[in-house]
Amino acid sequence: MGEIGEGTVPRVDLRRAIATRSGGFLLFAVTPPRLTTSPEEAAEIGRVTVERLRSVPIDGLVLYDIDDESARTPDERPFPFLPTMDPADYLTRHLAGLEVPAIVYRAVGKYREDRLRSWLGQQVPSRALAVFVGSSSHDGAALTSLARAHELRDEVQPGLPLGGVAISERHARRGDEHLRLIAKQRAGCSFFITQIVYDVNAAKDLISDYHHECAAQDLAPVPIVLSFSVCGSLRTLEFLRWLGVAVPRWIENELRHADDTLEASSEQACAMAVDLIAFCRRLGVPFGLNVESVSIRRVEIDAAMRLAARLGSELRR
Amino acid sequence: MGEIGEGTVPRVDLRRAIATRSGGFLLFAVTPPRLTTSPEEAAEIGRVTVERLRSVPIDGLVLYDIDDESARTPDERPFPFLPTMDPADYLTRHLAGLEVPAIVYRAVGKYREDRLRSWLGQQVPSRALAVFVGSSSHDGAALTSLARAHELRDEVQPGLPLGGVAISERHARRGDEHLRLIAKQRAGCSFFITQIVYDVNAAKDLISDYHHECAAQDLAPVPIVLSFSVCGSLRTLEFLRWLGVAVPRWIENELRHADDTLEASSEQACAMAVDLIAFCRRLGVPFGLNVESVSIRRVEIDAAMRLAARLGSELRR
């Protein structure tokens, strides 16, 4: 019998944990390389990513699909928008060695219906998972609406496990995000992934309202995947804010005055995750955890991986 | 040597804990009887209050001064406004047996300057403590402004320990409550008492901003007394909201769906207090705790006393 290393800790079967609505899984999320990256560089980035993720006990990898969100806000983007590779292409071409399932985001507004249809047709429902994201702006520039994307998936690939996004900040503003989640669930979503959580109260408000509305409608709640990130600099914090993440004032103060911002943000994220794990367990709402690496700085990626390892332990407690 | 009961646990010297800015004390807050109460009934209420508070390890009693706040909000008051006895009169006449110091609130807008001046003149600075509250409305009906009340105290009774109110909800709206606290501190306040806390993030935002602003101004922070209450019914919750207390949606849901609302709210309050105690200790902000009994129902008063006993233990950990 050899020693049991982190890589051999039994992993949760992601597809099964979603299908049975049991949750309890850990995801890690990355953004594909920039479009301007050469195929050789992209292959190297993919190889390194797969290699490094082996040491983290994750049950799935999330691949974001970045839309140019500049239509959404008149604020200047603190980081320039650089188009990234299609996450589905990146997965197929450069992440072949990945040992865990991938959840591919599709910013559906970016794609014409025929392209989305053909992508759906190519998926193997027993291997792929996807998350559809509607267009964030209402300027009519969306090539395909979220509702239409749901119909296409129903028609072309009904067995494909499909997730949706859950935004606590929208719930804080409008108070109806739980109803949106239930509508998406009725349209076929079997899990949700939140935006990065920095406001625990806002996340609890959404989870609580979702839980009680499901009970009222006699509907079983599906796993809500809570996303966390580390934040190594005030610039990253500014970027999170720009993305629409509500960062409470006191957390901003802590990060601003910390000797080690990265370490402080990691402690914050861990404390928030522990609080929300206990909350979800008490309510009986299935959940997963997701650690996003929002910066491309090596030191932040490393810290995100350490955070994922810690959250993995919390999840298995 | 007799057994050590709760009543004999060494108490914090409230005046000293305020003067040395060390905090660490526990208060209990009550509202005086209604003005329509007969002297005999008021005496009996006072006797019972003193008697029952002996079993709770408090370091001071807060006596509220209720102002008719109907000018503040156009909403209908869910509980009728019934004028209450002057807390200073109630203390003098009916709480003679009280074994702990009393902090008397003065809603300064209710009193003409000469009355406030004569009350100040009667105080014994080595025994009395007070909190001045400004008028909550801006309709010009205030007989004395908060700034003028501070001047009077400076002039007539500068040795009287004076507190101010700290409102996290106002900080959430305007973002300058920490500056108001510092201004009140410069005007003579040596402690602050918060409105009842149900939104931990809002309380942390205020404490954090106050802490960092004190550091920036090279000012030693004074104790912030965090107030908690139990809530035995949705009607009490409605009343708290009307008073301006921000109750997060998820807490409302928990109370609404709890088998035992009173017990659930007590658990909530205790969890929030534990969280905020750790937060204040980490920042090095001195603090105290205060348990308010907002309802006159016997079962809620008993639960508030049990909460105070629990928080006393947490404080001494």
Side-chain angles (χ1 to χ4, degrees):
Chain A
M1 302 261 285
E3 281 181 67
I4 294 176
E6 277 183 302
T8 58
V9 168
R11 286 177 172 158
V12 173
D13 179 333
L14 180 60
R15 307 175 53 82
R16 198 180 149 75
I18 289 172
T20 59
R21 303 190 193 94
S22 55
F25 50 82
L26 177 66
L27 308 177
F28 195 83
V30 300
T31 298
R34 293 174 186 164
L35 253 190
T36 52
T37 311
S38 71
E40 294 72 25
E41 285 172 313
E44 178 59 13
I45 292 172
R47 196 192 59 72
V48 170
T49 300
V50 167
E51 178 59 34
R52 295 176 68 203
L53 284 174
R54 280 209 182 99
S55 66
V56 190
I58 58 170
D59 307 305
L61 178 68
V62 172
L63 291 166
Y64 287 127
D65 194 10
I66 303 297
D67 198 359
D68 182 356
E69 299 200 332
S70 57
R72 192 173 58 82
T73 162
D75 298 346
E76 197 189 333
R77 192 180 181 115
F79 291 58
F81 173 67
L82 296 166
T84 49
M85 288 182 65
D86 181 312
D89 291 347
Y90 179 54
L91 175 65
T92 315
R93 291 182 199 154
H94 306 300
L95 297 175
L98 192 68
E99 291 170 349
V100 294
I103 299 176
V104 174
Y105 268 55
R106 304 269 72 181
V108 299
K110 276 169 70 173
Y111 307 102
R112 284 187 197 286
E113 193 173 312
D114 54 353
R115 197 168 149 209
L116 208 54
R117 183 190 290 273
S118 82
W119 179 78
L120 279 164
Q122 291 156 21
Q123 301 310 300
V124 181
S126 65
R127 288 184 47 217
L129 300 99
V131 165
F132 283 172
V133 188
S135 183
S136 51
S137 57
H138 291 278
D139 58 0
L143 299 179
T144 304
S145 72
L146 186 58
R148 182 65 189 136
H150 283 150
E151 286 170 7
L152 289 172
R153 174 259 186 186
D154 253 11
E155 192 184 307
V156 181
Q157 205 66 273
L160 176 73
L162 187 70
V165 293
I167 305 195
S168 308
E169 285 83 355
R170 192 157 57 192
H171 195 53
R173 282 196 308 276
R174 302 190 195 165
D176 65 353
E177 186 73 1
H178 60 308
L179 302 177
R180 283 167 178 258
L181 297 189
I182 287 174
K184 288 182 191 173
Q185 195 171 329
R186 295 200 186 278
C189 286
S190 53
F191 63 101
F192 296 104
I193 300 187
T194 70
Q195 195 164 246
I196 297 172
V197 174
Y198 272 95
D199 185 338
V200 167
N201 262 341
K204 285 183 178 175
D205 284 350
L206 175 56
I207 295 165
S208 172
D209 278 343
Y210 173 67
H211 163 73
H212 289 294
E213 188 65 30
C214 280
Q217 296 195 20
D218 206 13
L219 196 68
V222 301
I224 295 188
V225 183
L226 304 161
S227 299
F228 300 93
S229 79
V230 296
C231 172
S233 70
L234 294 178
R235 197 141 176 271
T236 302
L237 189 72
E238 203 185 341
F239 181 57
L240 289 170
R241 280 244 165 84
W242 185 88
L243 285 174
V245 177
V247 181
R249 185 94 183 130
W250 69 271
I251 292 185
E252 179 183 338
N253 285 345
E254 301 229 331
L255 298 182
R256 194 178 288 278
H257 292 91
D259 291 330
D260 183 339
T261 308
L262 200 54
E263 176 60 23
S265 78
S266 206
E267 287 301 320
Q268 288 290 358
C270 200
M272 289 188 287
V274 167
D275 190 354
L276 288 171
I277 287 171
F279 186 74
C280 289
R281 284 188 176 145
R282 191 154 54 79
L283 286 188
V285 172
F287 65 96
L289 300 180
N290 175 35
V291 176
E292 288 191 29
S293 182
V294 279
S295 158
I296 53 166
R297 291 171 60 212
R298 171 71 191 248
V299 63
E300 296 205 25
I301 297 170
D302 283 345
M305 287 189 171
R306 285 198 303 275
L307 175 62
R310 276 179 78 179
L311 296 192
S313 310
E314 292 296 338
L315 207 50
R316 286 156 182 82
R317 254 178 222 272
Chain B
M1 304 263 285
E3 281 181 67
I4 295 177
E6 277 182 302
T8 58
V9 168
R11 285 178 173 158
V12 173
D13 180 333
L14 179 61
R15 306 174 54 83
R16 195 179 153 75
I18 289 171
T20 60
R21 302 190 194 92
S22 56
F25 50 82
L26 177 66
L27 308 176
F28 194 84
V30 300
T31 299
R34 294 174 187 163
L35 254 191
T36 52
T37 310
S38 72
E40 293 73 27
E41 284 173 314
E44 177 61 12
I45 292 171
R47 195 191 61 72
V48 170
T49 300
V50 167
E51 178 59 34
R52 295 175 69 202
L53 284 174
R54 280 208 182 99
S55 66
V56 190
I58 57 171
D59 307 304
L61 177 68
V62 172
L63 292 167
Y64 287 126
D65 194 11
I66 303 297
D67 197 1
D68 182 357
E69 299 199 332
S70 58
R72 191 173 60 81
T73 163
D75 298 346
E76 197 189 333
R77 189 179 183 116
F79 291 59
F81 173 68
L82 296 166
T84 50
M85 287 181 66
D86 181 312
D89 292 346
Y90 179 52
L91 174 64
T92 315
R93 291 182 200 154
H94 305 299
L95 297 176
L98 193 68
E99 291 169 351
V100 295
I103 299 175
V104 174
Y105 268 54
R106 304 268 73 180
V108 297
K110 276 169 71 173
Y111 307 101
R112 285 186 196 287
E113 195 175 309
D114 54 353
R115 196 167 150 209
L116 208 53
R117 183 190 291 274
S118 81
W119 179 78
L120 279 164
Q122 291 156 20
Q123 301 309 302
V124 181
S126 64
R127 289 182 48 217
L129 299 100
V131 166
F132 284 171
V133 187
S135 184
S136 51
S137 58
H138 291 278
D139 58 359
L143 299 179
T144 304
S145 72
L146 186 58
R148 183 63 190 137
H150 284 149
E151 287 168 8
L152 289 173
R153 173 258 185 188
D154 253 10
E155 193 184 306
V156 181
Q157 204 66 272
L160 176 74
L162 187 70
V165 293
I167 305 195
S168 308
E169 285 82 355
R170 192 158 57 191
H171 195 53
R173 283 195 309 275
R174 302 189 195 165
D176 65 353
E177 186 72 2
H178 59 310
L179 303 178
R180 284 167 178 259
L181 297 190
I182 286 173
K184 287 182 191 173
Q185 194 170 330
R186 295 201 185 277
C189 285
S190 54
F191 65 99
F192 296 105
I193 301 187
T194 70
Q195 194 162 247
I196 297 172
V197 174
Y198 271 95
D199 184 338
V200 168
N201 262 341
K204 285 183 178 173
D205 284 350
L206 176 55
I207 295 164
S208 172
D209 279 343
Y210 172 66
H211 164 73
H212 289 294
E213 188 65 28
C214 280
Q217 297 196 19
D218 205 15
L219 196 68
V222 301
I224 295 188
V225 183
L226 305 159
S227 300
F228 300 93
S229 79
V230 297
C231 172
S233 70
L234 295 178
R235 197 140 177 269
T236 301
L237 189 72
E238 202 184 340
F239 181 57
L240 289 170
R241 280 241 167 84
W242 184 89
L243 285 174
V245 176
V247 181
R249 185 92 183 132
W250 69 272
I251 293 185
E252 179 182 338
N253 285 345
E254 301 230 333
L255 298 182
R256 195 179 288 279
H257 291 91
D259 291 332
D260 184 338
T261 308
L262 200 54
E263 175 61 23
S265 77
S266 206
E267 287 301 321
Q268 288 290 358
C270 200
M272 290 187 287
V274 167
D275 190 354
L276 288 171
I277 287 171
F279 186 74
C280 289
R281 285 188 176 147
R282 191 155 53 78
L283 287 189
V285 171
F287 65 96
L289 301 179
N290 175 35
V291 176
E292 289 191 28
S293 181
V294 279
S295 158
I296 53 166
R297 290 171 60 213
R298 171 71 191 249
V299 62
E300 297 205 26
I301 298 170
D302 284 345
M305 287 188 170
R306 285 197 304 275
L307 175 62
R310 277 180 76 179
L311 297 192
S313 311
E314 292 297 337
L315 206 50
R316 286 156 183 83
R317 254 178 222 276

